[in-house]
RNA sequence: GGGGCCGUAGCUCAAUUGGUUAGAGUACCGGACUGUCGAUCCGGGGGUUGCGGGUUCAAGUCCCGUCGGCCUCGCCA
């Protein structure tokens, strides 16, 4: 070992010991006769002092040190004494009085200092990710990620789960996201697909009797990126046999509690709350609302259908909805300009054509359009919205879908802007009773909401024939702070029910056989009742880290255009490689 | 595929309405200094204003295109 301790180890009780540290030069302060170096590794920072001393040249040697040089220092741990203690450092009571300095590797002048006062733009940080990863914040995030993975493995291992790996080179299926494809050299013109999730494999493992499976699985989806979406990401993938919905939720409740315990040292109250899909859509306009704050959506369609305000009236008469938010005490918070530009812009992104707003004053409405509502209507609206003087009322008149999406976005904006919650808090809950299918108006057919192996709520089997849109699925999402943090379902194991679902989705037997033949085949050979779930590992780490960006918790993430700026990936390849793979490029221009 | 924001010294930023030689802090280089911890003090070097074109007497600033980064709608069973 080149060192006896790390830069985070030394304390007052090490005084008088001779030790050797290794690390990077974080800061240096040259006083001529004495040089101070803050030596950094991932465990912390220790101050090293190099003093002028007739017997050695060490202080002159130290004067050559610059940012990010990698050095080895041997010396004595000494107390800093009264007045020289640095309370900002865990090691601040002591320093290392250097006797021997070895420069293990001189650094070029770095493009930025990992713990500098300002953070460089992300492009540069991604290009020099090896330096960026030296930052304390990123080291903390990756440590957190490790802790969460460890807590996960410990938890499932204790419950007799087996961790089983599934293939990365798989087969393309037309459902879901766009696949990443890998051309086969041996099979001319054929391609493997990288897994979007181990979905089909884990169901087959259930059929094979591995009744408790988990895996921290890498998944790949070739879709556009977002702040919380990368093209390759990790799932905590789980599947269990001989269980019912409550069992699954209970196991994951326990996992969440174990993660919180491991990371924050806190106990949480179980079971986690459960809401139905219908409840959250009606009250918050989203299937994953951030419930750290209230600000519910209130429907006033019935109150405004007879008003003189044409927009509201015609919307209701045309089958649409007028719904709104009551923003407490915010009547003076937003100027007309902000309401008409910023807030209207937010709802506009989700298709809302306008945003109506009123102030509550004297128990009635105040606004340029208040005149279209008589006193009785005004008072009824104020009462329904539970408005008080000084409140701001915001309304959207549109289709159900648009009112949900736009009000949910508006609600998120207001919650954040008005600081309605503690950003460090975490609030996790279940959403259950999702619809099994949704009507695809463009294609004029029913689409599976979760996926086509998702089982039907036992009370709704009869509805399959009469009103499929009302059939509830045995699926569940776990939501944390407005993010979808996990999603899963109890699967169908009965071929007759599976056939019913295929019929509804208009998938004929031949087609089904071609697409999922291997799974259908497996299900015919003794499939136990089973169900599962997948948690978005990156998102959980992000939530625990208090970050809003998934790149902050991935060691080597990709940019929005899915490139790796450090590697320069993706890249051109040698023409011989293409030839081997039977690929001919046909690029425009 | 659509919308929005951004790109000036190694880095973070500034530069009036389009107007003189594009500035500051930090980093870097040289010098001074024996107790700092954002060390301090003195001096110095450092610019294709992302790239290409256009308008203009004059462009970092305005216009068009393009490249790159970020946010977002669609997309993500």
């Amino acid at each position: 070992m080149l060192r006896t301790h790390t830069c985070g180890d030394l304390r007052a009780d090490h005084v008088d010991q001779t030790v050797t540290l290794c690390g990077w030069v974080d800061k240096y302060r040259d006083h001529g006769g004495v040089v101070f170096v803050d030596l950094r590794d991932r465990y912390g920072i220790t101050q090293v002092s190099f003093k002028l001393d007739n017997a050695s040249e060490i202080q002159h040697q130290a004067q050559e040190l610059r940012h990010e040089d990698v050095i080895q220092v041997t010396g004595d741990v000494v107390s800093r004494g009264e007045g020289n203690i640095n309370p900002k450092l865990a090691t601040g009571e002591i320093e290392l009085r250097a006797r021997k300095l070895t420069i293990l590797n001189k650094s070029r002048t770095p493009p930025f200092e990992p713990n500098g006062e300002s953070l460089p733009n992300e492009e540069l940080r991604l290009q020099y990710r090896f330096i960026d990863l030296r930052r304390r914040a990123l080291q903390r995030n990756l440590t957190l990620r490790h802790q969460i993975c460890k807590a996960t493995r410990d938890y499932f291992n204790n419950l007799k789960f087996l961790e089983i790996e599934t293939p990365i080179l798989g087969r393309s299926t037309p459902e879901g996201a766009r696949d990443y494809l890998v051309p086969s050299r041996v099979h001319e013109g054929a391609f493997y697909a990288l897994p979007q999730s181990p979905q089909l494999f884990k169901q087959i493992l259930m059929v094979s009797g591995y009744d408790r499976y988990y895996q921290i699985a890498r998944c790949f989806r070739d879709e556009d990126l977002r702040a919380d979406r990368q093209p390759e990401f990790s799932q905590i993938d789980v599947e269990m046999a001989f269980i019912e919905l409550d069992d699954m939720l209970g196991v994951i409740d326990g996992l969440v509690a174990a993660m919180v315990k491991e990371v924050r040292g806190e106990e949480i109250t179980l079971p986690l709350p459960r809401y139905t899909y219908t409840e959250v859509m009606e009250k918050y306009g989203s299937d994953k609302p951030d419930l750290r704050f209230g600000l519910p959506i209130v429907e006033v369609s019935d109150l405004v259908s007879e008003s003189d305000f044409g927009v509201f009236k015609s919307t209701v008469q045309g089958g649409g909805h007028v719904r709104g938010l009551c923003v407490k005490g915010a009547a003076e918070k937003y100027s007309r300009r902000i309401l008409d530009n910023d807030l209207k812009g937010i709802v506009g992104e989700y298709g809302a054509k306008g945003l109506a707003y009123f102030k509550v004053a004297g128990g009635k409405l105040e606004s340029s359009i208040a005149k279209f509502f008589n006193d009785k209507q005004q008072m009824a609206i104020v009462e329904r919205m539970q408005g008080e003087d000084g409140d701001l009322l915001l309304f959207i008149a549109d289709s159900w879908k648009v009112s949900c999406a736009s009000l949910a976005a508006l609600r998120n904006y207001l919650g954040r802007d008005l600081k309605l919650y503690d950003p460090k808090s975490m609030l996790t809950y279940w959403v259950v009773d999702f619809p099994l299918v949704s009507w695809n108006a463009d294609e004029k057919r029913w689409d599976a909401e979760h996926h086509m192996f998702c089982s039907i709520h036992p009370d709704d089997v009869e509805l399959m024939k009469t009103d499929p849109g009302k059939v509830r699925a045995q699926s569940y999402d776990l939501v944390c702070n407005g993010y979808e943090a996990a999603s899963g379902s109890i699967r169908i194991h009965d071929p007759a029910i599976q056939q019913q679902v295929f019929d509804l989705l208009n998938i004929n037997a031949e087609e089904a056989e071609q697409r999922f033949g291997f799974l259908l085949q497996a299900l015919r050979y003794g499939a136990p009742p089973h169900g599962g779930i997948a948690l978005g590992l990156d998102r959980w780490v992000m939530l625990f880290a208090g970050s809003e960006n998934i790149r902050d918790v991935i060691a080597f993430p990709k940019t929005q255009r899915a490139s790796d700026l450090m590697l320069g990936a993706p890249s051109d390849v040698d023409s011989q490689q293409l030839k081997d793979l039977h690929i001919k490029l046909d690029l425009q221009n």
Side-chain angles (χ1 to χ4, degrees):
Chain A
M1 296 284 267
L2 299 180
R3 60 184 175 189
T4 59
H5 295 77
T6 73
C7 296
D9 282 341
L10 300 175
R11 296 291 184 276
D13 37 322
H14 292 89
V15 166
D16 292 338
Q17 289 188 25
T18 299
V19 302
T20 302
L21 298 182
C22 289
W24 286 261
V25 174
D26 194 61
K27 291 264 165 49
Y28 58 91
R29 295 175 290 279
D30 181 355
H31 289 244
V34 60
V35 177
F36 297 101
V37 168
D38 291 340
L39 193 63
R40 182 193 72 235
D41 62 18
R42 80 173 165 94
Y43 306 94
I45 287 178
T46 301
Q47 173 168 287
V48 185
S49 65
F50 299 86
K51 268 197 170 180
L52 182 62
D53 165 349
N54 293 337
S56 93
E57 289 293 293
I58 195 159
Q59 153 267 355
H60 292 298
Q61 234 187 314
Q63 283 177 321
E64 302 301 312
L65 294 175
R66 292 296 179 269
H67 290 107
E68 302 308 308
D69 288 346
V70 182
I71 62 173
Q72 179 191 43
V73 187
T74 302
D76 305 314
V77 181
V78 299
S79 171
R80 294 217 203 170
E82 285 299 306
N84 275 333
I85 288 172
N86 184 349
K88 289 183 200 163
L89 291 183
T91 59
E93 282 185 72
I94 55 89
E95 68 179 16
L96 181 61
R97 180 75 52 86
R99 283 211 306 254
K100 180 167 182 251
L101 167 65
T102 308
I103 298 178
L104 298 172
N105 207 340
K106 190 84 188 143
S107 173
R108 280 192 178 189
T109 301
F112 61 93
E113 290 167 47
N115 293 314
E117 38 195 307
S118 55
L119 199 59
N121 76 55
E122 199 171 359
E123 194 174 351
L124 190 78
R125 288 167 42 210
L126 289 172
Q127 205 177 330
Y128 291 91
R129 190 62 166 177
F130 41 87
I131 294 172
D132 200 27
L133 285 169
R134 291 177 189 163
R135 283 169 51 223
R136 235 211 315 244
L138 287 189
Q139 291 183 333
R140 201 167 40 219
N141 289 352
L142 292 187
T143 306
L144 190 65
R145 189 178 179 114
H146 165 79
Q147 288 178 319
I148 289 170
C149 289
K150 180 179 184 300
T152 298
R153 290 200 164 97
D154 288 346
Y155 177 76
F156 285 122
N157 295 348
N158 283 335
L159 292 177
K160 303 250 186 309
F161 279 74
L162 295 181
E163 182 171 9
I164 300 174
E165 290 169 284
T166 53
I168 293 295
L169 294 177
R171 175 194 163 124
S172 177
T173 52
E175 277 62 43
R178 202 172 289 115
D179 285 317
Y180 276 101
L181 297 177
V182 179
S184 163
R185 174 180 57 84
V186 181
H187 301 271
E188 220 171 303
F191 294 81
Y192 301 98
L194 305 184
Q196 297 176 22
S197 78
Q199 182 61 38
L200 302 168
F201 292 111
K202 65 175 174 174
Q203 287 194 244
I204 287 173
L205 286 170
M206 293 306 109
V207 176
S208 305
Y210 298 86
D211 61 333
R212 291 182 161 214
Y213 144 94
Y214 81 99
Q215 178 187 190
I216 297 180
R218 195 64 65 87
C219 306
F220 306 85
R221 295 180 188 175
D222 187 6
E223 297 292 346
D224 286 352
L225 284 75
R226 289 285 186 282
D228 64 344
R229 269 167 33 191
Q230 281 273 307
E232 62 177 302
F233 61 99
S234 297
Q235 287 186 344
I236 301 171
D237 196 44
V238 184
E239 196 81 7
M240 296 172 78
F242 307 118
I243 52 139
E244 293 174 307
L245 188 142
D246 281 342
D247 305 313
M248 190 73 235
L249 268 49
V251 166
I252 300 303
D253 276 356
L255 173 63
V256 173
M259 294 195 302
V260 172
K261 175 86 180 159
E262 169 76 21
V263 174
R264 301 195 157 191
E266 294 166 11
E267 306 287 343
I268 58 169
T269 310
L270 297 183
L272 294 169
R274 294 183 199 179
Y275 303 98
T276 67
Y277 173 85
T278 311
E279 260 178 288
V280 292
M281 288 305 286
E282 280 176 0
K283 208 164 170 190
Y284 304 105
S286 163
D287 60 359
K288 47 175 195 294
D290 188 341
L291 293 188
R292 288 176 296 176
F293 59 99
L295 205 58
I297 295 172
V298 180
E299 170 123 25
V300 294
S301 302
D302 55 311
L303 302 179
V304 300
S305 61
E306 298 303 320
S307 75
D308 294 328
F309 189 50
V311 176
F312 282 9
K313 200 172 167 179
S314 61
T315 298
V316 177
Q317 282 169 359
H321 298 257
V322 179
R323 304 160 82 199
L325 305 172
C326 174
V327 195
K328 285 290 159 198
E332 306 304 326
K333 167 82 183 173
Y334 297 107
S335 68
R336 195 171 168 151
R337 192 186 139 91
I338 291 177
L339 288 162
D340 284 336
N341 295 330
D342 299 17
L343 299 195
K344 195 179 160 191
I346 291 166
V347 298
E349 282 180 48
Y350 296 84
K353 290 174 284 294
L355 176 68
Y357 50 87
F358 305 89
K359 294 170 182 178
V360 181
K364 292 203 279 187
L365 302 179
E366 212 170 76
S367 142
S368 58
I369 53 169
K371 62 190 174 209
F372 298 116
F373 303 86
N374 65 37
D375 284 3
K376 203 176 147 196
Q377 289 164 342
Q378 293 196 11
M379 289 190 293
I381 291 171
V382 171
E383 195 195 339
R384 173 79 56 83
M385 303 297 295
Q386 297 185 5
E388 296 167 312
D389 287 7
D391 291 352
L392 173 69
L393 304 183
L394 301 167
F395 291 99
I396 296 288
D398 219 302
S399 66
W400 176 256
K401 232 177 140 174
V402 169
S403 73
C404 280
S406 56
L407 285 167
L410 190 57
R411 181 176 169 274
N412 282 338
Y413 174 85
L414 293 168
R416 170 190 292 240
D417 195 48
L418 300 170
K419 301 186 170 58
L420 299 180
Y421 57 89
D422 173 3
K424 289 196 193 110
S425 62
M426 284 175 76
L427 199 150
T428 310
Y429 64 90
W430 290 101
V431 178
V432 297
D433 291 350
F434 280 79
L436 182 76
V437 292
S438 62
W439 182 248
N440 182 334
D442 295 338
E443 308 280 336
K444 295 201 173 14
R445 59 155 200 250
W446 294 102
D447 282 345
E449 270 287 308
H450 184 64
H451 59 63
M452 61 190 66
F453 308 110
C454 175
S455 69
I456 300 167
H457 193 291
D459 297 346
D460 292 354
V461 177
E462 291 307 308
L463 282 172
M464 281 292 280
K465 295 254 158 46
T466 56
D467 195 352
K470 288 233 166 68
V471 174
R472 289 167 295 172
Q474 291 204 67
S475 67
Y476 30 81
D477 276 8
L478 193 57
V479 180
C480 181
N481 295 2
Y483 290 92
E484 181 191 310
S487 182
S489 65
I490 301 299
R491 328 294 183 190
I492 301 170
H493 64 280
D494 174 346
I497 306 252
Q498 186 67 68
Q499 194 54 52
Q500 259 188 295
V501 173
F502 281 155
D503 288 346
L504 182 62
L505 298 175
N506 216 357
I507 298 170
N508 66 43
E510 197 184 342
E511 205 181 340
E513 207 58 44
Q514 204 190 339
R515 280 151 69 168
F516 313 106
F518 57 101
L519 178 63
L520 298 178
Q521 183 77 340
L523 292 174
R524 291 184 194 111
Y525 285 87
H530 63 288
I533 193 165
L535 291 80
L537 173 65
D538 314 88
R539 281 185 193 166
W540 275 103
V541 180
M542 176 178 93
L543 286 160
F544 276 111
S547 172
E548 292 188 335
N549 196 313
I550 203 170
R551 294 185 297 278
D552 289 346
V553 299
I554 296 175
F556 302 102
K558 294 187 172 50
T559 70
Q560 209 196 16
R561 295 190 64 240
S563 44
D564 184 319
L565 297 181
M566 186 181 70
L567 296 179
S571 68
D572 293 342
V573 295
D574 193 87
S575 62
Q576 185 57 46
Q577 287 179 286
L578 291 178
K579 221 169 171 182
D580 287 347
L581 296 168
H582 323 287
I583 288 177
K584 210 178 266 175
L585 297 181
D586 180 20
L587 301 172
Q588 302 301 314
N589 69 44

